[in-house]
Amino acid sequence: MEKKLSRAEQKARRPHEILDAAFEEFVEKGYAATRVEDVAARLGVTKGTVYLYFPTKEALFEATIGHVSAPFEDVRASIDALQGSHSDRLRQLLLLGYDKLSGDRKTRELLRLQLAEGSRFPNIIDRHYSEFIAPLLDAVRALIEQGVASGEFHQGAAASIPEVVISSAVHLTIWKLIFADRNPIDEATFIEAHIDLVLNGLLARRR
Amino acid sequence: MEKKLSRAEQKARRPHEILDAAFEEFVEKGYAATRVEDVAARLGVTKGTVYLYFPTKEALFEATIGHVSAPFEDVRASIDALQGSHSDRLRQLLLLGYDKLSGDRKTRELLRLQLAEGSRFPNIIDRHYSEFIAPLLDAVRALIEQGVASGEFHQGAAASIPEVVISSAVHLTIWKLIFADRNPIDEATFIEAHIDLVLNGLLARRR
DNA sequence: ATCCATTGACTAACTCGTAAGTCAGCGATA
DNA sequence: TATCGCTGACTTACGAGTTAGTCAATGGAT
């Protein structure tokens, strides 16, 4: 097949290949139980090759985390492009959140690794927080504040804590991580229920 | 101090002591990185002692999980004792959920272990689901259905998916697991916001 | 176009440390 | 003194990290 890779091309691809393989292994086994040799075996190479590109297993792990951490900038652009009433935009924002968080396997498994290995690799948590979570919460908060200011959303405790508005997306993500395919949930209905609840909960009461 | 323990008493306590120590170690390091010798060291004994009570590290782990899994029966009783309108009872039920899930360190860390080790110990997930999650969801679902039937809650997607109603409790639990004390949240305000959102979202609209 | 010296990505077999599991013996208790 | 919970030194296996050596791609010379 495509055995036509020049040495330079192959070498350029190696780091990516290794990180992809490492991600699968770390997700499946966790950091401690993962063997560098198994990572290498996924590419059909040996341990030594991996050590040509990454000095230690620890460095490999941290590079792997960095490799799968999607930059938030793409999301930022999508958020700014939202149109319609505040309700419409919030709905779209939530759908976007589901897409990026529970819908994307990489991001989802990244959350698992944070929970499992975070205490031994604190910096992966700090990074994920400042690069992903904080901006997302800021966007939700800003949108809700605008909605309150315009009178579309009612003033209340919920409006000041954006976390409670996106909780169901976190919940679904955790659910999928734990019950991969054992106790499946109808995702479309779940998401619909969440949006229904949130919009009803935020809308200014018409008495 | 209390060196007055007879041999029989000491022996009777050992399993408990070991499981408590094992829990701390497994939570801190994860299954693979935990050393049986460190578990023993917490009690001031040696590895050999642990192996007198548990045949393998794996058996120790599973016993540890069983040891910290609180039976749901206590909660069941509390649920049945709830009083007041459906809103009142739902509020109390949510507070109870926070107490048992995010408030109780054991249950919280149990969730971490499920996420981290669940794929290698599937039975701990099945047990937790049937003994804790399913009954809790059933209780919430039943309460919401009653509320809908009585006209207090409005019929809608949210009413049929109890998961979305308790999501924030899951979210707070995850938050505490990841950001132990780094990015603290004002829990009281968070819970208040959640309840505010949910009750507003469920109440039948008065137009 | 063919040859050949050199490079360098990769391997295979090594060392070394560590951790699970074992067991003969010890010493406090009853 | 007999019991027995516990010890600590042992074996065994395994995995991280190392390194001398291999061989195919490469590119310059004829």
Side-chain angles (χ1 to χ4, degrees):
Chain A
M1 294 299 167
E2 68 287 357
K3 281 285 185 193
K4 311 297 171 205
L5 287 179
S6 74
R7 264 182 151 188
E9 284 170 330
Q10 185 60 278
K11 176 165 188 179
R13 277 165 205 257
R14 274 284 179 254
H16 268 117
E17 291 180 335
I18 294 173
L19 292 174
D20 284 342
F23 179 71
E24 297 303 325
E25 289 291 319
F26 284 134
V27 161
E28 196 174 303
K29 314 249 188 78
Y31 176 78
T34 288
R35 293 166 37 193
V36 175
E37 185 147 11
D38 288 344
V39 173
R42 286 201 176 232
L43 313 180
V45 299
T46 60
K47 204 168 35 154
T49 303
V50 174
Y51 280 100
L52 290 177
Y53 295 88
F54 302 93
T56 62
K57 185 183 174 186
E58 209 171 301
L60 175 62
F61 181 73
E62 296 197 329
T64 301
I65 297 296
H67 185 240
V68 294
S69 300
F72 189 76
E73 289 317 307
D74 323 341
V75 186
R76 157 77 51 209
S78 310
I79 290 177
D80 292 341
L82 297 183
Q83 305 239 332
S85 67
H86 292 104
S87 297
D88 289 341
R89 279 189 278 160
L90 184 55
R91 160 177 270 118
Q92 294 166 49
L93 182 52
L94 289 177
L95 288 174
L96 195 70
Y98 274 103
D99 196 47
K100 293 293 171 191
L101 187 61
S102 87
D104 181 37
R105 175 164 173 271
K106 293 237 174 110
T107 313
R108 215 189 308 145
E109 296 292 350
L110 196 58
L111 180 59
R112 188 205 302 279
L113 288 175
Q114 309 242 337
L115 282 155
E117 318 292 351
S119 56
R120 270 148 292 151
F121 296 91
N123 50 315
I124 73 176
I125 291 185
D126 293 331
R127 254 187 69 183
H128 193 243
Y129 180 79
S130 58
E131 291 183 10
F132 189 85
I133 300 193
L136 180 62
L137 287 177
D138 286 346
V140 176
R141 183 177 2 245
L143 187 48
I144 294 175
E145 276 169 5
Q146 287 171 33
V148 170
S150 78
E152 191 176 341
F153 296 155
H154 82 109
Q155 182 62 272
S160 59
I161 311 280
E163 282 89 344
V164 302
V165 171
I166 63 162
S167 290
S168 290
V170 174
H171 190 171
L172 180 59
T173 308
I174 297 296
W175 189 276
K176 288 170 77 172
L177 283 176
I178 294 185
F179 301 119
D181 46 350
R182 228 175 323 173
N183 300 48
I185 261 189
D186 179 345
E187 295 191 31
T189 309
F190 181 100
I191 294 174
E192 208 40 61
H194 174 200
I195 293 179
D196 176 74
L197 183 78
V198 164
L199 290 184
N200 267 316
L202 281 178
L203 285 180
R205 324 280 5 229
R206 318 163 224 144
R207 324 198 159 223
Chain B
M1 293 298 167
E2 70 287 357
K3 282 286 185 193
K4 312 296 172 207
L5 287 179
S6 74
R7 265 184 149 184
E9 284 169 332
Q10 185 60 279
K11 175 163 189 179
R13 278 165 205 257
R14 275 283 180 253
H16 269 119
E17 291 179 336
I18 294 174
L19 291 174
D20 284 342
F23 179 71
E24 297 304 325
E25 289 291 319
F26 284 134
V27 160
E28 196 174 304
K29 314 249 187 78
Y31 176 77
T34 288
R35 294 167 41 196
V36 175
E37 185 147 11
D38 288 344
V39 172
R42 286 201 175 232
L43 313 180
V45 300
T46 61
K47 205 170 33 155
T49 304
V50 175
Y51 280 100
L52 290 177
Y53 294 89
F54 301 93
T56 63
K57 185 184 174 185
E58 210 171 301
L60 174 63
F61 182 73
E62 297 196 330
T64 302
I65 297 295
H67 186 239
V68 293
S69 300
F72 189 75
E73 289 317 308
D74 322 343
V75 187
R76 157 77 50 210
S78 309
I79 290 177
D80 292 341
L82 298 182
Q83 305 239 333
S85 68
H86 292 104
S87 297
D88 288 342
R89 278 188 280 159
L90 184 55
R91 159 178 271 118
Q92 293 166 50
L93 182 52
L94 289 177
L95 288 174
L96 195 69
Y98 274 103
D99 196 45
K100 292 293 171 191
L101 187 61
S102 86
D104 181 35
R105 175 164 172 272
K106 294 238 174 111
T107 314
R108 214 189 307 145
E109 296 293 349
L110 195 58
L111 180 60
R112 188 205 303 278
L113 288 175
Q114 309 241 338
L115 282 155
E117 317 291 351
S119 56
R120 270 148 292 150
F121 296 90
N123 50 315
I124 72 177
I125 292 185
D126 293 331
R127 252 186 72 183
H128 193 243
Y129 180 80
S130 57
E131 292 184 8
F132 189 85
I133 301 192
L136 179 62
L137 287 176
D138 286 346
V140 176
R141 185 179 358 247
L143 186 49
I144 294 175
E145 275 168 6
Q146 288 170 33
V148 170
S150 79
E152 191 176 340
F153 297 154
H154 82 107
Q155 183 62 269
S160 59
I161 311 279
E163 281 89 343
V164 303
V165 171
I166 62 163
S167 290
S168 290
V170 174
H171 190 172
L172 180 59
T173 308
I174 298 295
W175 188 277
K176 287 171 78 172
L177 282 176
I178 294 186
F179 301 119
D181 47 349
R182 228 176 321 172
N183 300 48
I185 262 190
D186 179 346
E187 294 191 32
T189 309
F190 181 101
I191 295 173
E192 207 40 59
H194 173 201
I195 292 179
D196 175 74
L197 184 78
V198 164
L199 290 184
N200 267 315
L202 281 179
L203 284 180
R205 326 270 17 219
R206 318 163 225 144
R207 321 198 160 224

